[in-house]
Every structure is written in structure tokens, then in C-alpha cells.
Amino acid sequence: MTTDYREISFDSHGTRCDAWLFGADGADRRPVVVMAHGFGGTKDSGLAPFARRLAAAGVAVFAFDYRGFGASDGEPRQRVSMTAQVQDYHAAIVAAARQPGVDPKRVVLWGISQSGGHALTVAADRSDIQGVIAVVPLVDGLAAGRTALTRIGATAMARSAVTGVRSALAGRLGRTATMMPLVGRPGEHAALTADGYYESYLALAGPTWRNEVDAAVGLELGGYRADRKADRITAPVLVQIADFDRAAPPHSAAKAAFKARAEVRHYPCDHFDLFSGNPYFDAAVDHQVRFLRRHLRLDTAVPAIEESV
């Protein structure tokens, strides 16, 4: 089957990671957008439409899977480690910059949901990044937990915490982790259970995506603060906020954007409504292209959009 990307493998701390490279044919040296998915996501689950639109605007896109997820190697599988995923971002930047047809001096970080937070974290520690695009970013795990608490209640939250502690202890002892569904319907035991999220996530799901995650992730999320060093980011930043987001609290994203001196775009929708096939995808990706045109000297024109969105 013919594809519009090249398959790339790269090393992250001794483990092979899998990536797709869009828009770099070697004829010219394009800026490169390094892209990864959010919480438990894989690159074949909704990233390609973003990548193709950005590639059509004149940039290369390097979309990758974290270790232990999707087509990448790594054990244990389906374990979310914030530290390891940030390390994978750094490794992906190095790999992307080495590709034929890529300008290594024009690297942009792109993340959505949890990876939006990772993009901010990585950019704060580097001086060679030319731009950051954070789409509905999760930046404060505690704030996200408080939002979930109001929806699912203290009993369900406590049960998840106990399961997470047991799974974390099992992992430290070399035993099998306890897995839980990543997304479920309201009332089910899963990491994400807001009404409509099960259908929205499964509509994106690609062949390598699995609806499970190590239950210890709750302990990781509790201390996650991608906004702590946002004021150290020197690159231009675009933060795209869904004003009715039930997964990544919009007020936390707005605070992080302020610290990063970011351009901010608001959309009157929920978390998944910026993905392809949903009402605000076109507006969101057009704003991304405009941002890249301004800061990377792209020549490709983009269609006009309504500034009210």
C-alpha cells in the first residue's frame, strides 16, 4: 500500500522507537514539526490528518510513538512514564533533525493533550526550538484530578488510587502490573469516563492502539506540572484551549500560556472536538499553519478562516 510518509526508526535510551516522516522528500530543507500523541495515544490514532495539513503548508512532520506504545518497542507495555516520554521527545528531536530534507535549525514541538504538556516541558529545557504548538494541553495533573473528582465522586477516585498504588508496588517488585481501560463509558472503571469520550476516542483509534493502561498512571498524573518552567521557554508558543474541556482543565492551560507569553486561541468545545472529523479541526489546524508561517518564514498561503473561532 502506498503511503505519503516514510517509516523511520530511532533510538531512545536503548529502545527502538517508530516514527512517520511526512513532507520531507530531500528536494529542499524544510522546518520539521516533532509530533506525539496524548494520554495513551498512538501516532496512527488521529495524528495523520494534522501532519498532512501541516506538510501541505511546507513543513516536514516527524510523528512518533513513545516507548512501550504503538509500533515502538519497549517493555513494559502501556505504562505511562512522564519522565520517559519527555526523554523520548528529546530523542525524537535529534532523530528528526538528522533526516534528509529537514532543516535542523528550524524544529517545532507539537503536542496534544498530555503531549501538549510534554512539548512545553521539553521546550523549557532547550534553546534550539523555534516554536511550540500545544493543543488542548494537559499541564496540571492535580487540577485534572479535581475536575474528575466532581464528575465521578470520591468513592471511584479512591478505588482508582488504591488500584494505582497496588500496580506501582507490583512493578517495583517485578510482578505483573494491574491494567485498566484507558477510556470507558460513564460509571465504568476507566481512566477517562466523561460522557461521549469512549465514542470519541474509539473513533480515532488506529490498529496499534490498545484500550488499556497501567493503573499506576494515576500516581504519575498527581504530581504532573508541565507549567512549572513555562516562563523559561524562549521560542514562540501557540496554546489552543477548548473552553469546555473536561479532560485538560482550560484554566490551567491558560495559566501556562500566560507564563510562556503564548499566543492563545480559544474554541467553544470539548477535548476531542479539535481532532479531524470534528467541528473545530479546520479552525485549529489553520491557526497552527498561520502560526508556523509567521515564525518559520513559510511561503505557502492558507485559506482565510473566520476570526471568531
Side-chain angles (χ1 to χ4, degrees), residues 107-177:
V107 176
V108 173
L109 303 184
W110 187 102
I112 193 163
S113 191
Q114 185 178 333
S115 66
H118 292 344
L120 295 170
T121 298
V122 172
D125 291 329
R126 303 183 70 107
S127 60
D128 58 346
I129 301 302
Q130 301 304 303
V132 181
I133 297 174
V135 187
V136 292
L138 174 64
V139 299
D140 186 336
L142 188 58
R146 286 194 293 264
T147 299
L149 177 62
T150 62
R151 186 174 63 252
I152 68 174
T155 300
M157 185 70 79
R159 183 176 68 164
S160 294
V162 170
T163 303
V165 170
R166 288 176 177 169
S167 187
L169 289 174
R172 292 177 183 176
L173 296 173
R175 299 172 183 168
T176 302

Side-chain angles (χ1 to χ4, degrees), residues 139 239 241 249-259 264 266:
V139 299
V239 175
I241 298 174
H251 63 277
S252 298
K255 290 179 181 178
F258 181 81
K259 289 181 67 175
V264 180
H266 289 268

Side-chain angles (χ1 to χ4, degrees), residues 79-99:
R79 175 176 292 176
V80 176
S81 165
M82 309 302 179
T83 300
Q85 291 185 351
V86 166
Q87 291 173 343
D88 293 345
Y89 251 106
H90 285 289
I93 291 168
V94 174
R98 291 175 176 169
Q99 299 306 312

Side-chain angles (χ1 to χ4, degrees), residues 280-301:
Y280 292 93
F281 170 76
D282 286 330
V285 77
D286 283 343
H287 288 143
Q288 293 172 25
V289 171
R290 291 185 175 199
F291 173 81
L292 294 174
R293 290 185 67 207
R294 286 196 303 274
H295 297 290
L296 297 179
R297 305 183 302 279
L298 300 181
D299 297 326
T300 304

Side-chain angles (χ1 to χ4, degrees), residues 186-220:
E188 295 180 346
H189 182 54
L192 299 172
T193 58
D195 184 37
Y197 276 21
Y198 180 84
E199 293 77 11
S200 293
Y201 211 136
L202 265 65
L204 300 171
T208 69
W209 181 79
R210 288 163 52 180
N211 189 19
E212 63 176 7
V213 67
D214 184 341
V217 66
L219 306 182
E220 288 265 354

